[in-house]
Amino acid sequence: MELSAHLVSHLTAKGYEVVDHGPKVYDALDDYPSFCINAARAVVADQEAGVHALGIVLGGSGNGEQIAANKVKGVRAALAWNESTAKLAREHNDANVIAVGGRQHSVEEATKLIEFFLEEPFSNDERHVRRIGKIATYETTGEIVE
């Protein structure tokens, strides 16, 4: 919750529009999938409406949060654990959601990872566009494009 509260404040101060999809209070026994799915659905809805949107999902390791977000059609969630993975998620994969493990990083480290992700543009390189297209085809049709 400390990381989440910090990010809402920090990113808002940097000019980002932040929508917090919960939880509002810490509960060690809560079930994170609904929070991650709601955040991912909001990203997709904004993107479908023509609004530039990226999402952030947080957890202990970030693994389960990434998996939950990736169940939403149209989401490409990436687990970031260093500068390179955060930047490449955007540059090569046009990831629209970043997952970060709050128990894996200090608040300062996690904040930097998220900033790297938010600030990195997609390269639009043909090979990356092609690969993302193949993933999207499978996601929507079940067809594996060679």
Side-chain angles (χ1 to χ4, degrees), residues 30-122:
D30 70 7
D31 291 327
Y32 62 83
S34 61
F35 307 125
C36 300
I37 291 167
N38 284 331
R41 289 177 64 188
V43 169
V44 171
D46 279 352
Q47 290 180 334
E48 288 176 348
V51 175
H52 175 71
L54 296 172
I56 301 164
V57 292
L58 305 170
S61 70
N63 283 312
E65 294 74 20
Q66 175 199 27
I67 292 168
N70 273 319
K71 297 302 178 187
V72 175
K73 182 178 174 184
V75 167
R76 289 177 306 282
L79 177 64
W81 65 89
N82 61 24
E83 178 179 349
S84 180
T85 58
K87 288 182 174 183
L88 288 172
R90 291 282 307 130
E91 182 185 353
H92 288 189
N93 304 111
D94 198 17
N96 51 10
V97 173
I98 184 174
V100 176
R103 287 192 309 255
Q104 312 304 312
H105 308 281
S106 68
V107 169
E108 295 76 22
E109 291 169 339
T111 301
K112 290 304 289 180
L113 293 176
I114 290 164
E115 287 177 339
F116 290 137
F117 176 83
L118 294 174
E119 294 167 5
E120 188 69 31
F122 176 52

Side-chain angles (χ1 to χ4, degrees), residues 122-143:
F122 176 52
S123 70
N124 278 305
D125 182 277
E126 187 277 329
R127 67 188 167 126
H128 300 307
V129 171
R130 182 180 67 244
R131 293 167 183 167
I132 293 166
K134 288 180 176 189
I135 295 167
T137 296
Y138 178 77
E139 180 180 51
T140 57
T141 69
E143 177 189 355

